């Protein structure tokens, strides 16, 4: 994959400008899970194709990535994929069960089970993501930037030990005290694969990357600084190091640690360009903690998308005013939920663009 392949020139670069702290002509907005279940055309496509088949088929992944852009004046696209493609590449079965979400029928239960993982060649089992990114860059024709992403080590470890999503993460948290050395081994193994994976995404044409530490909310501040932050720092440092050595232009990196509002100052010291905030964090407080040189992303409560248009417009406008026009990317504080009305997305996008 040649990162210098001739892609169409970018027409709307507000997202990248905001990430780098440059002036924007309007506040950029995109939404986590914007290509997804709230869109009838996505549901229609899913009637014919299994979830992971869509992820693994570049034409289908691109079609789904494009769907929200046909409806809304968004300032970014994000490649359609899933954070659990990494556990799959490491040899675990991941199934998507209707009404339940992801299920891993043979989870990692003891340190002995780590021997089942297949890190060698994991990247070769993820090339379909790179293929989709390259194809998508051409399909976008420079309309908006394309974001690539990955799950973070602690979050992936949680899914792999719990066997799916968990409200308590009790099995994964038990590892932290019961098998601390094996936990470090596990997290380092995941970190290595993640760095390979992100490098591949940049080579394929991703113009920005987001690292989803979606399960940070299950860690205390002390635990996050021990089991989250060091690996997040290494992802950033190793990736920058590799791209620099290959003379490949760096892309902005976003860290979204959901529920880690307790550690915003520490997150701001990890080297990321953008920090995503969930809806529990006050924008003004966040800015004080992270200082003027980091871009903030967020953070409307996804539930506010169910309010009437007038209320939603007011809340969105107030949010943008709190963050300001400089170093800000508008988004929800977590992924958009499946029953969200289409009209709410229209209101959100328009209100962000008109707010300042």
């Amino acid at each position: 994959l040649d990162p210098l392949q001739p892609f169409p020139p970018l027409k709307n670069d507000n997202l990248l400008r905001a990430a780098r702290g440059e002036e924007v002509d309007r506040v950029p907005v995109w939404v986590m899970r914007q290509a997804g279940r709230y869109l009838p055309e996505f549901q229609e496509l899913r009637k014919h194709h299994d979830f992971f088949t869509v992820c693994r088929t570049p034409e289908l992944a691109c079609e789904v990535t494009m769907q929200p852009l046909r409806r809304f004046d968004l300032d970014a696209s994000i490649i359609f994929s899933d954070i659990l493609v990494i556990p799959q590449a490491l040899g675990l079965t991941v199934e998507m069960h209707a009404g339940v979400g992801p299920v891993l029928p043979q989870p990692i239960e003891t340190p002995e089970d780590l021997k089942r993982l297949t890190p060698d060649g994991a990247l070769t089992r993820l090339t379909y993501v790179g293929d989709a990114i390259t194809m998508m860059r051409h399909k976008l024709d420079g309309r908006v930037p394309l974001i690539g992403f990955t799950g973070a080590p602690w979050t992936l470890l949680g899914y792999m030990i719990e066997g799916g999503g968990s409200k308590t993460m009790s099995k994964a948290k038990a590892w932290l005290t019961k098998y601390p050395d094996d936990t470090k081994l596990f997290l380092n193994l995941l970190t290595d694969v993640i760095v390979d994976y992100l490098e591949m995404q940049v080579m394929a044409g991703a113009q920005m990357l987001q690292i989803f530490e979606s399960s940070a909310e299950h860690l205390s501040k002390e635990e996050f600084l021990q089991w989250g932050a060091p690996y997040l720092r290494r992802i950033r440092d190793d990736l920058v190091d590799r791209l620099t050595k290959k003379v490949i232009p760096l892309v902005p990196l976003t860290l979204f640690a959901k529920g880690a509002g307790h550690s915003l100052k520490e997150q701001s010291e990890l080297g990321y360009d953008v920090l995503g905030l969930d809806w529990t964090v006050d924008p003004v407080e966040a800015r004080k903690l992270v200082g003027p040189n980091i871009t903030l992303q967020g953070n409307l409560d996804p539930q506010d998308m169910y309010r009437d248009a007038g209320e939603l417009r007011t809340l969105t406008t107030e949010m943008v005013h709190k963050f300001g026009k400089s170093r800000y990317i508008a988004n929800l504080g977590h992924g958009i939920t499946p029953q969200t009305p289409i009209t709410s997305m229209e209101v959100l996008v328009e209100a962000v663009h008109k707010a300042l």
Side-chain angles (χ1 to χ4, degrees), residues 257-278:
K258 182 175 180 282
H262 50 55
S263 305
L264 281 174
K265 187 174 187 322
E266 290 79 5
Q267 286 180 53
S268 75
E269 291 156 5
L270 298 175
Y272 287 82
D273 306 277
V274 181
L275 293 182
L277 306 177
D278 66 47

Side-chain angles (χ1 to χ4, degrees), residues 275-321:
L275 293 182
L277 306 177
D278 66 47
W279 67 91
T280 66
V281 176
D282 175 66
V284 180
E285 285 304 304
R287 177 54 72 200
K288 278 184 202 155
L289 286 165
V290 309
N293 301 321
I294 286 178
T295 296
L296 296 174
Q297 175 176 282
N299 70 337
L300 194 77
D301 186 340
Q303 286 303 115
D304 287 337
M305 299 288 276
Y306 294 91
R307 294 172 183 261
D308 70 53
E311 277 184 292
L312 175 58
R313 191 173 289 112
T314 302
L315 285 168
T316 303
T317 306
E318 284 171 359
M319 170 183 78
V320 176
H321 285 166

Side-chain angles (χ1 to χ4, degrees), residues 16 35 39 49 54 87 100 122-123 135 167 224 264 336:
L16 303 183
L39 293 172
H49 305 282
V54 180
V100 180
L123 191 63
M135 184 183 288
K167 293 214 173 1
F224 177 73
L264 281 174
I336 189 167

Side-chain angles (χ1 to χ4, degrees), residues 40-83:
E41 55 270 38
F42 176 80
Q43 291 169 358
E44 190 53 42
L45 184 128
R46 279 280 281 109
K47 283 178 192 165
H48 309 283
H49 305 282
D50 166 75
F51 179 87
F52 284 109
T53 303
V54 180
C55 292
R56 287 196 201 102
T57 312
E59 293 78 6
L60 293 175
C62 287
E63 165 56 27
V64 173
T65 302
M66 194 59 104
Q67 285 175 350
L69 301 177
R70 295 192 189 116
R71 283 183 180 265
F72 314 113
D73 185 19
L74 294 157
D75 296 284
S77 59
I78 181 164
I79 196 67
F80 184 78
S81 185
D82 193 271
I83 64 170

